[in-house]
Amino acid sequence: MRLAVLASGNGSNLQAIIDAANREEISGSVAVVFSDKEESFALERARRHGIEALFLNPGHYSHREAYDSDVVYLLREREIELVILAGFMRLLSPHFVEQYRGRIMNIHPALLPSFPGVDGVKQALRYGVKVSGCTVHFVDEGLDTGPIILQEAVKVYDNDTEESLQERIHEVEHRLYPRAVQLFIEGRLRVEERRCFIDEE
Ligand code: GAR
């Protein structure tokens, strides 16, 4: 299966997915990495692995819909079947979601529906929760509101900083995201209303 990863930042989740594909734990390949930030290290990671790296400057577009329809065009041109958001810090327009409904995933560094949006780790720490974690979910029109595929808890310690908690959440993310992608590829994810069920092998 041809995968696209959309990322704005460091791309450690992208790296985890590339590595899992290389180990054949994912039976698909990252065909393209796309970013809205030219300096995103995710683009560099893609190039290092011989994967096409695309940057589209949102500053050159007057509105989100126009930008997103170019992204969708590029994805369709490359026959992408699953769109993986990995630290892609833009809300997708309804047009984008409609074009790829049920075939867009996102990872979020908190136990949704708590602490959606930006700075999920900081929000959780400031709130004072004892347990946070990460969530892989399908993307719908809302902000981190789509059906939850996988979720795992991470304990918060008294001496945690945003960085230390982030680091432990990242470790879990790097395990969880490739697993969710492979479940999708195997056709084992079934969504009924808000609930996502994992079919037995
Ligand atoms: C990840 O922790 C991901 O959960 C988060 O951005 C980070 C990207 O890290 N995403 C969000 O906050 C989305 N709302 P990475 O670039 O190293 O993969």
Side-chain angles (χ1 to χ4, degrees):
M1 184 178 287
R2 292 172 64 75
L3 315 171
V5 177
L6 276 54
S8 305
N10 177 29
S12 70
N13 280 286
L14 161 69
Q15 189 67 56
I17 289 165
I18 293 173
D19 293 345
N22 288 341
R23 290 194 301 267
E24 299 183 359
E25 290 164 16
I26 287 180
S27 40
S29 62
V30 180
V32 63
V33 172
F34 176 88
S35 187
D36 60 331
K37 296 264 191 311
E38 197 166 17
E39 67 282 7
S40 167
F41 190 57
L43 292 174
E44 179 55 28
R45 290 182 196 268
R47 290 184 205 105
R48 287 182 188 177
H49 287 273
I51 296 167
E52 185 183 19
L54 288 178
F55 160 66
L56 265 194
N57 189 341
H60 293 165
Y61 292 79
S62 58
H63 54 281
R64 181 189 304 275
E65 285 71 20
Y67 184 84
D68 280 9
S69 69
D70 276 4
V71 180
V72 167
Y73 178 84
L74 293 168
L75 297 175
R76 289 214 172 286
E77 201 176 42
R78 285 157 183 77
E79 300 181 331
I80 296 305
E81 291 161 275
L82 175 65
V83 178
I84 301 166
L85 309 185
F88 189 63
M89 302 313 268
R90 286 173 67 84
L91 184 65
L92 304 189
S93 62
H95 168 74
F96 193 149
V97 175
E98 191 51 48
Q99 292 300 308
Y100 272 94
R101 187 166 306 278
R103 291 182 295 143
I104 312 172
M105 279 183 189
N106 182 41
I107 190 152
H108 184 73
L111 293 176
L112 292 172
S114 292
F115 315 119
V118 292
D119 292 333
V121 177
K122 190 193 269 180
Q123 290 184 58
L125 207 55
R126 286 214 175 136
Y127 194 92
V129 294
K130 303 294 185 193
V131 174
S132 191
C134 61
T135 306
V136 180
H137 64 94
F138 282 116
V139 171
D140 65 8
E141 283 79 358
L143 179 62
D144 298 330
T145 51
I148 291 170
I149 301 165
L150 294 174
Q151 219 165 20
E152 195 170 309
V154 172
K155 212 169 151 26
V156 179
Y157 299 116
D158 287 352
N159 61 356
D160 260 330
T161 59
E162 194 185 331
E163 290 69 34
S164 63
L165 180 57
Q166 169 108 282
E167 198 179 313
R168 294 204 307 290
I169 289 176
H170 259 131
E171 280 172 25
V172 177
E173 289 188 337
H174 297 161
R175 231 181 336 97
L176 225 57
Y177 217 179
R179 215 166 92 211
V181 169
Q182 181 59 15
L183 287 169
F184 179 89
I185 292 172
E186 289 173 3
R188 292 171 57 198
L189 300 177
R190 184 169 37 90
V191 178
E192 288 176 19
E193 297 186 8
R194 275 214 51 83
R195 297 182 71 189
C196 177
F197 299 95
I198 298 173
D199 289 334
E200 294 297 318
E201 265 175 293

